Amino acid sequence: DAGSSAEEMEFSWDEYLEDTGATAAPHGSFKHVDTSLQNGFAPGMKLEVAVKSDQNTYWVATIITTCGQLLLLRYDGYGEDRKADFWCDIMTADLHPIGWCEQNKKILKVPEGIKDKIPDQEEFLQRVVKGACSAPANLLEGLHRGKNPLDLIAPGSRLELQNVRDSLEAWIVNVVENIGGRLKLRYEGLGDSDKFDQWLFYLDPFLHQVGWAAQHGYSLQPPSAIRSLKSEADWQEILKKVKEEEEESSVPTDLFKDKPVIGVHSFSEGMKLEAVDPMAPFVISPATVLKVYNEKYFMIEIDDLRPERTTSQSYICHVNSAGIFPVQWSLKNGLHLSPPPGYPGQDFDWADYLKQCGAEAAPQSCFPSLTSSDHGFKENMKLEAVNPVDPEEVCIATVTKLKDSYLWLQLEGSKKPVPDCIVSVESMNIFPVGWCETNGYQLRPPRKAIVNKQKKIAVVQPEKQILSSRTVHDGLKNQELNSSDSVVINGKYCCPKIYFNHRCFSGPYLNKGRIAELPQSVGPGNCVLVLKEVLTLLINAAYKPSRVLRELQLDEEAAWHGHGETLKAKYKGKSYRATVEVVRTADRVADFCRKTCIKLECCPNLFGPQMVLDKCSENCSVLTKTKYTHYYGKRKNKRIGRPPGGHSNLEVAMKKPNKRRKRRKHFFVHKKKRSSTSVDNTPAGSPQGSGGEEEDDQDESELSHSLAQDRDKRKRKLRTFSFSDDENKPPSPKDMKMEAAEKLQLDSNPLEWSVADVVRFLKSTDCAPLARIFLDQEIDGQALLLLTLPTVQECMDLKLGPAIKLCHHIERVKLAFYQQFAN
């Protein structure tokens, strides 16, 4: 423990990640946390809202985004115009589900601002309401109006918990604490005794609303661990009391609609398998199916061959339980299988063991597919995790290993050191970085903690009123919030979800393939943290991360409007860092995202608080780069200066002295003679990418002239080169003529080739050994068509001979592309 000064010190995740050089696991990887933040409303839902100018009339509005109990709405008829968007507090505003006006004889009338856009009101309403998803009536009216579902699980609420030793039994539990959906539960009848308390996430498959056991034919019995503490008569009296108070302490059934559904298993008693004990998830051991209860539940026991053993490690499982594997799973994944205690020797062999036990292995069909590659976790990522030995503790955790859909986590700062824990990627005992801070829970810092010796104080501008969603907003006309007001949820600046709209134009700096792999959204949460994560994801999705970081960095001459955050980029073995400005309040998030998109010369809707459901308002799919660079982009005619103190804002970890970098110009082709499938993701470093300190736009004639000059220069250089070894020797003119004579016929358009397609093509040529480079650098068909000899030499570190040979094949693809597909 840190000692008496611990309270004066505050752990800082930002500084800790900076110091360790690690990254945080993406927020999107924790699906249970994302579910817990949902308030039941979703973008795209429609509702009927009182019109601001006339409280006696209503009009249909669409939810743009949600933030706690606040909704950002837009009246239908404004189309993509976001200027009229407004915030509403569910608790106070006059909001109703679709159809309410008709049922209650209220007037639906077009607002003044869009009267001229809607000549036929009835026809318009029929069109927008047809097939629309209405906001749920129970969330807009009644006792649960405006409440976050998690708020309904208050201390004192009652639930039913299945017995981990006998799944056909359950008992009442009281909620002692609710920390962001993680519940501290106490068995009914134990009073203030916390000896048998348990921590479970509210979506745990074994946790149910009161009444579940009776509905499903299960008995309500106190577990054996506490049964002897009271007489049978006392337990029955407790049950009677619970039933009398059921209505006031019950939790709505809707709260559990997102729980995982338990499927049917096919295990039989006596089958052998490999398993991790959930109470001590540090090793994988042989185990046996001890008992089958029904089609959903069975009990397994960790094997123990010692004759003197008095207790057993057994627990209830279902088909989707984490930590159960087929026989030989450890061997196939290169993992150690811990032999059962009492097993003779250390070299465990499954075939011999099954023969000795006279048992059969559970077939592969009993286990659902384990492989999952889209979870987002990677080695060395940081997160927050529950200590299985002491569930009160939530510790800093590092991913040390990944196998299929399982993580090995090293816990830091636990009171007693524990081995690496084995957890599923879908475990509800792991949380994103910052979860404890957001929910006001103590995170166990590492023993050598990186701390802020002085707490940072947020200064709020006096003229800016901060509105709390927990307060009734007196004095606000029509009980509406303007969309420009800042929003605070639970004392935190709340940023709405930031969506990555993968269909939008991604610009010259960002790799379209990597953008497609980003999560659908990030947030909601603290503005600074959410935007920092978004920018980090964008930097990592760039062709040249350092180039994007330089575009985003603070200009010392620009006005300071937000909050400076240090971001990092790695490129070609070098580390870069720069200070980037992010906004701190929700009202400025949309504008910040739009301006950042423009800065990166991509569609202004590529990312932001608005999800592009079908068609982008910018119509970016049919426009070329020219629109974004000419109308939105800035000409970079000056380098960013050094901030006060003499240090560059963008720092590189390793610099080679006396080496000047060549300047290359940045070309964007006007779409005069090109089809709509023209390349829109130019890799940085190519003649159409960002490779130098300055870029200029040129039209098609300038590009042709420049490329012709470049070709002539290369011809002259090739004539004067001397070759000292076969590796550097380019193919002879005779060889090149012979290959050129073999006309390349393509089965598909190279513009649509994936990275795998490019690799497959290269493996069919004499440049097959270079395919690995293309795979590592994720070069797809669009990027392939933009590669040239200088780019190949610079970006792939190839000698002249192999580079020329490779470029020859690329030229063959280009020629075939123009002949077969360019029309």
Side-chain angles (χ1 to χ4, degrees):
D1 291 334
S4 59
S5 62
E7 290 183 6
E8 298 169 13
M9 298 171 128
E10 181 184 322
F11 172 76
S12 165
W13 259 118
D14 284 345
E15 292 184 25
Y16 183 69
L17 291 173
E18 176 74 20
D19 187 71
T20 56
T23 57
H27 279 255
S29 298
F30 304 87
K31 295 182 178 63
H32 60 298
V33 175
D34 194 39
T35 301
S36 72
L37 295 172
Q38 294 170 7
N39 62 2
F41 296 95
M45 285 182 175
K46 294 187 184 293
L47 60 168
E48 294 174 355
V49 189
V51 176
K52 191 174 182 179
S53 56
D54 184 356
Q55 281 289 282
N56 295 318
T57 65
Y58 296 79
W59 190 244
V60 177
T62 301
I63 297 174
I64 304 301
T65 193
T66 67
C67 193
Q69 67 187 50
L70 302 178
L71 304 177
L72 183 63
L73 303 176
R74 181 183 303 161
Y75 286 124
D76 282 18
Y78 276 97
E80 298 296 330
D81 185 1
R82 64 185 74 182
K83 291 176 185 173
D85 292 1
F86 57 97
W87 287 99
C88 272
D89 187 325
I90 304 164
M91 292 295 288
T92 57
D94 197 356
L95 310 173
H96 304 280
I98 294 295
W100 180 86
C101 284
E102 186 178 353
Q103 293 169 10
N104 292 274
K105 307 263 188 302
K106 297 291 182 182
I107 302 168
L108 278 169
K109 184 180 176 184
V110 184
E112 289 293 328
I114 48 174
K115 259 189 176 180
D116 56 333
K117 296 182 181 179
I118 305 174
D120 188 337
Q121 176 177 308
E122 292 302 318
E123 185 272 334
F124 179 82
L125 280 175
Q126 285 180 7
R127 182 159 42 87
V128 297
V129 173
K130 186 179 179 181
C133 177
S134 173
N138 67 309
L139 297 178
L140 292 169
E141 300 162 350
L143 291 173
H144 301 156
R145 176 178 179 173
K147 287 190 176 179
N148 186 301
L150 277 186
D151 292 341
L152 303 177
I153 313 179
S157 299
R158 289 191 176 109
L159 297 165
E160 289 181 1
L161 177 63
Q162 281 177 265
N163 191 336
V164 294
R165 299 291 179 186
D166 187 341
S167 72
L168 299 182
E169 293 180 354
W171 188 241
I172 312 294
V173 286
N174 275 291
V175 176
V176 179
E177 283 185 80
N178 177 357
I179 309 296
R182 188 166 182 256
L183 310 178
K184 187 176 185 179
L185 303 170
R186 183 169 299 163
Y187 287 120
E188 185 72 42
L190 296 188
D192 295 331
S193 173
D194 61 358
K195 184 179 178 182
F196 299 96
D197 286 1
Q198 297 182 55
W199 283 92
L200 287 176
F201 203 75
Y202 81 104
L203 295 173
D204 191 284
F206 285 78
L207 198 58
H208 312 278
Q209 73 275 13
V210 172
W212 176 88
Q215 291 170 11
H216 294 81
Y218 289 43
S219 62
L220 272 178
Q221 293 284 344
S224 56
I226 66 168
R227 198 172 296 173
S228 60
L229 299 177
K230 291 183 183 295
S231 67
E232 185 61 30
D234 288 340
W235 290 121
Q236 290 304 318
E237 189 62 34
I238 289 168
L239 263 183
K240 183 181 176 183
K241 181 188 171 189
V242 167
K243 287 178 180 175
E244 289 172 356
E245 300 173 357
E246 185 175 333
E247 202 168 310
E248 60 190 69
S249 64
S250 64
V251 172
T253 310
D254 287 355
L255 198 61
F256 300 98
K257 63 181 173 52
D258 295 313
K259 274 176 49 174
V261 177
I262 295 177
V264 176
H265 74 80
S266 54
F267 286 93
S268 301
E269 286 184 14
M271 283 182 173
K272 295 285 184 182
L273 64 158
E274 296 180 3
V276 174
D277 182 355
M279 303 302 171
F282 311 120
V283 295
I284 304 172
S285 308
T288 306
V289 177
L290 198 62
K291 186 176 181 180
V292 173
Y293 292 95
N294 52 29
E295 63 179 12
K296 288 191 174 182
Y297 300 105
F298 56 96
M299 177 183 279
I300 74 164
E301 180 182 46
I302 303 296
D303 287 0
D304 189 334
L305 305 180
R306 293 174 297 184
E308 71 275 12
R309 69 166 180 154
T310 55
T311 59
S312 67
Q313 293 170 276
S314 58
Y315 52 95
I316 302 297
C317 288
H318 50 83
V319 69
N320 297 116
S321 285
I324 56 174
F325 314 101
V327 161
Q328 304 284 16
W329 185 82
S330 298
L331 181 67
K332 289 175 184 175
N333 285 278
L335 301 168
H336 175 68
L337 181 69
S338 182
Y343 181 82
Q346 288 299 310
D347 297 326
F348 181 83
D349 181 79
W350 260 116
D352 290 344
Y353 186 61
L354 290 171
K355 194 173 180 181
Q356 290 170 22
C357 299
E360 63 170 328
Q364 185 72 44
S365 58
C366 288
F367 303 87
S369 175
L370 294 171
T371 305
S372 174
S373 58
D374 60 350
H375 47 68
F377 291 101
K378 293 180 182 176
E379 282 189 16
N380 297 319
M381 279 184 169
K382 301 284 184 181
L383 57 144
E384 298 175 4
V386 174
N387 183 351
V389 176
D390 183 359
E392 290 270 354
E393 283 189 356
V394 179
C395 305
I396 290 169
T398 306
V399 179
T400 58
K401 186 161 52 182
L402 291 107
K403 292 292 179 184
D404 286 343
S405 54
Y406 286 84
L407 310 173
W408 273 250
L409 299 179
Q410 181 185 51
L411 302 185
E412 302 173 39
S414 56
K415 291 176 185 174
K416 295 178 182 177
V418 294
D420 284 9
C421 308
I422 305 168
V423 300
S424 163
V425 294
E426 295 182 352
S427 168
M428 296 184 194
N429 281 330
I430 57 176
F431 304 95
V433 161
W435 183 85
C436 280
E437 182 188 4
T438 300
N439 290 284
Y441 195 75
Q442 177 61 51
L443 174 70
R444 294 287 304 177
R447 285 181 173 79
K448 294 180 180 177
I450 290 80
V451 295
N452 291 330
K453 293 195 170 60
Q454 195 173 359
K455 289 191 176 182
K456 294 177 182 176
I457 299 171
V459 180
V460 181
Q461 296 295 333
E463 68 272 12
K464 195 85 170 176
Q465 184 185 6
I466 305 298
L467 300 171
S468 168
S469 67
R470 303 286 176 186
T471 310
V472 177
H473 309 304
D474 295 329
L476 289 175
K477 290 184 181 178
N478 303 326
Q479 297 174 321
E480 290 182 351
L481 303 179
N482 187 282
S483 62
S484 65
D485 288 323
S486 301
V487 181
V488 177
I489 302 296
N490 288 339
K492 299 284 180 186
Y493 288 100
C494 184
C495 178
K497 273 190 181 181
I498 303 298
Y499 294 96
F500 290 104
N501 296 308
H502 300 130
R503 295 181 184 178
C504 289
F505 172 74
S506 53
Y509 303 131
L510 303 176
N511 183 318
K512 190 171 187 177
R514 293 179 192 166
I515 289 288
E517 294 171 1
L518 295 182
Q520 187 179 20
S521 63
V522 174
N526 179 291
C527 272
V528 172
L529 294 179
V530 170
L531 294 177
K532 186 175 180 182
E533 181 175 348
V534 167
L535 295 181
T536 300
L537 288 170
L538 289 171
I539 289 168
N540 293 336
Y543 289 105
K544 286 188 174 181
S546 56
R547 184 69 181 82
V548 168
L549 183 60
R550 194 175 70 215
E551 290 298 314
L552 297 175
Q553 72 172 324
L554 265 174
D555 187 342
E556 65 169 355
E557 296 174 13
W560 179 272
H561 294 297
H563 173 76
E565 280 291 325
T566 300
L567 297 184
K568 294 183 294 183
K570 288 186 178 180
Y571 183 62
K572 286 192 172 182
K574 296 178 182 178
S575 293
Y576 302 80
R577 67 184 61 181
T579 302
V580 174
E581 183 182 17
V582 294
V583 295
R584 305 176 72 167
T585 53
D587 58 302
R588 299 175 59 203
V589 168
D591 186 56
F592 171 83
C593 292
R594 189 175 180 84
K595 285 180 178 175
T596 304
C597 287
I598 291 169
K599 197 180 285 186
L600 296 179
E601 298 177 20
C602 55
C603 173
N605 290 334
L606 180 66
F607 59 93
Q610 182 180 6
M611 182 191 292
V612 175
L613 296 172
D614 185 22
K615 189 177 180 183
C616 172
S617 60
E618 296 287 330
N619 207 22
C620 65
S621 60
V622 297
L623 294 167
T624 63
K625 306 175 190 68
T626 310
K627 178 197 172 184
Y628 297 97
T629 55
H630 183 71
Y631 294 105
Y632 293 138
K634 299 180 292 184
R635 287 182 176 271
K636 283 83 176 176
N637 51 17
K638 64 182 181 68
R639 285 186 68 179
I640 293 177
R642 294 178 180 271
H647 299 287
S648 172
N649 189 20
L650 182 66
E651 301 171 358
V652 62
M654 296 162 55
K655 294 182 180 178
K656 294 182 181 178
N658 304 324
K659 184 175 179 181
R660 296 187 63 186
R661 183 170 176 173
K662 293 179 183 177
R663 288 187 178 180
R664 210 177 290 119
K665 294 198 173 181
H666 189 186
F667 301 115
F668 287 90
V669 185
H670 285 274
K671 200 176 186 179
K672 292 177 182 176
K673 300 180 182 179
R674 299 289 296 276
S675 68
S676 61
T677 55
S678 64
V679 181
D680 65 0
N681 283 288
T682 313
S686 70
Q688 295 184 8
S690 52
E693 296 294 333
E694 301 176 4
E695 292 102 18
D696 295 298
D697 297 340
Q698 293 193 353
D699 61 17
E700 204 166 353
S701 61
E702 287 176 301
L703 174 62
S704 302
H705 179 66
S706 174
L707 290 177
Q709 284 184 326
D710 185 54
R711 199 161 47 244
D712 291 342
K713 283 180 185 175
R714 274 185 280 151
K715 283 180 181 176
R716 287 196 295 273
K717 283 183 182 177
L718 285 173
R719 292 194 194 103
T720 58
F721 272 120
S722 62
F723 303 100
S724 58
D725 57 277
D726 290 338
E727 186 183 7
N728 281 336
K729 186 175 180 181
S732 67
K734 183 180 177 183
D735 292 339
M736 292 181 74
K737 280 179 185 174
M738 283 177 64
E739 246 186 291
E742 299 171 14
K743 188 178 178 182
L744 186 64
Q745 277 296 119
L746 299 177
D747 295 329
S748 59
N749 190 337
L751 278 178
E752 298 168 0
W753 283 4
S754 64
V755 176
D757 293 330
V758 172
V759 169
R760 202 174 296 117
F761 166 73
L762 284 173
K763 286 185 175 178
S764 69
T765 70
D766 55 356
C767 289
L770 302 179
R772 168 55 61 182
I773 300 175
F774 282 70
L775 184 62
D776 292 342
Q777 297 197 15
E778 298 182 14
I779 296 174
D780 58 10
Q782 294 184 359
L784 179 76
L785 293 176
L786 294 165
L787 292 177
T788 63
L789 182 60
T791 312
V792 165
Q793 283 186 278
E794 180 185 341
C795 297
M796 298 185 182
D797 290 329
L798 295 180
K799 293 185 178 179
L800 183 62
I804 292 176
K805 191 184 290 186
L806 173 62
C807 285
H808 170 58
H809 291 297
I810 294 171
E811 291 300 322
R812 292 178 68 212
V813 174
K814 288 180 184 178
L815 180 63
F817 164 70
Y818 285 119
Q819 290 177 340
Q820 292 179 237
F821 301 102
N823 293 329

